[in-house]
Amino acid sequence: MNRAPFGKSLSRRNLLTTLAAVPAVALLAACSDSGEEAKAANAKPADPSTPAKPATPAAAQVPEAQGTVDMAELLKPGALPDKQLGKDDAKVTIVEYASMTCPHCAHFNDATFPQLKSKYIDTGKVRYILREFPFDPSAEAGFMLARCAKDNYFAMVDVLFKQQPSWVGVSNTKEALLQISKLAGFTQESFEACLTDQKLLDDVRAVQKRGADEFKVDSTPTFFINGKTYKGAMSIEEMSAIIDPLL
């Protein structure tokens, strides 16, 4: 199967150097402290679903699932504690694997997630979990900053997705991320401390590796909804068509 690429180790200081020196395009060439060679180099962001025309959820066609997983295994603790919104006892659990530099993930965050949150998460119908699946050092850095934001994890993820054009593909990603982070309350010292936290970097990579190895994630965004696998940035109508029969 296609897997996210894992190459040679990036040290914590080298991560900062890389961000400063290399434009942060989504090169799909993440490195791993495991030192594994990439088993496949063609893992990629999933194509977004075609935006649905305004319609009631009942009018939307139910997207076809691309596989199944054991939800008990999926929800077992990993290298990092899960970041969750919604109630533990919600009838529907959604686990999303995303990359911070993936344009399709940003599209889902901006176009669909606000409605998903207000309609299903805030009403107690859906539990939503976001897991890190970075494809490149810039995406790793974005997730590290979100983790360092502690209780503001989801707010930081939202800002980074919304500001994606200002820090992905620019000449100095480190400086661009620093300016965004300062608006979120980081200082230069706390920013650099976060991005030189080797354990955090290792843990982010471990979350990605587990997703690839155990749950066959090979593109982003990938959603697991009550044990079924869906790939691509679905519209709220498509998600409703999946969720509503499960309630």
Side-chain angles (χ1 to χ4, degrees):
M1 62 160 287
N2 295 337
R3 285 185 50 184
F6 294 97
K8 294 183 179 180
S9 173
L10 271 181
S11 74
R12 51 193 174 184
R13 184 57 60 183
N14 283 344
L15 178 61
L16 279 176
T17 303
T18 299
L19 293 177
V22 180
V25 293
L27 295 176
L28 314 184
C31 295
S32 168
D33 284 341
S34 69
E36 282 184 69
E37 292 300 322
K39 296 246 173 47
N42 59 345
K44 59 188 181 300
D47 291 333
S49 301
T50 303
K53 296 179 180 180
T56 62
Q61 183 175 354
V62 180
E64 183 177 352
Q66 279 115 1
T68 60
V69 296
D70 182 332
M71 283 298 289
E73 289 297 318
L74 181 68
L75 296 177
K76 284 183 177 178
L80 288 169
D82 278 333
K83 290 296 185 177
Q84 172 182 311
L85 296 173
K87 296 181 178 180
D88 288 339
D89 61 353
K91 289 186 176 180
V92 177
T93 295
I94 298 174
V95 178
E96 177 188 0
Y97 280 86
S99 178
M100 289 305 311
T101 52
C102 166
H104 308 310
C105 299
H107 172 76
F108 174 80
N109 178 77
D110 296 347
T112 303
F113 186 75
Q115 298 173 80
L116 178 70
K117 185 175 184 296
S118 63
K119 185 175 182 181
Y120 295 106
I121 300 171
D122 293 346
T123 57
K125 298 174 182 177
V126 163
R127 170 173 56 161
Y128 169 81
I129 294 168
L130 178 62
R131 287 185 181 166
E132 295 88 350
F133 202 85
F135 277 111
D136 55 81
S138 301
E140 290 176 339
F143 277 127
M144 290 171 73
L145 290 167
R147 285 283 176 173
C148 290
K150 310 277 184 198
D151 292 342
N152 292 320
Y153 175 86
F154 283 104
M156 191 69 180
V157 166
D158 183 55
V159 167
L160 289 171
F161 274 139
K162 283 184 166 59
Q163 295 295 321
Q164 200 179 71
S166 73
W167 64 277
V168 175
V170 301
S171 60
N172 190 331
T173 297
K174 176 185 173 183
E175 182 61 28
L177 283 174
L178 175 60
Q179 295 309 313
I180 294 171
S181 298
K182 283 182 175 179
L183 295 176
F186 284 79
T187 63
Q188 176 141 5
E189 292 73 22
S190 63
F191 172 82
E192 295 202 3
C194 179
L195 295 187
T196 55
D197 185 338
Q198 186 66 46
K199 184 179 186 306
L200 178 58
L201 179 59
D202 292 345
D203 288 345
V204 167
R205 289 170 173 170
V207 171
Q208 182 203 43
K209 189 173 187 302
R210 181 187 177 213
D213 290 348
E214 296 186 23
F215 310 117
K216 312 308 179 187
V217 178
D218 62 2
S219 61
T220 58
T222 291
F223 301 92
F224 297 102
I225 304 178
N226 278 19
K228 292 186 178 180
T229 308
Y230 301 89
K231 298 182 180 184
M234 294 182 285
S235 68
I236 189 59
E237 289 81 14
E238 290 169 317
M239 296 208 85
S240 293
I242 297 168
I243 294 167
D244 287 347
L246 301 174
L247 297 176

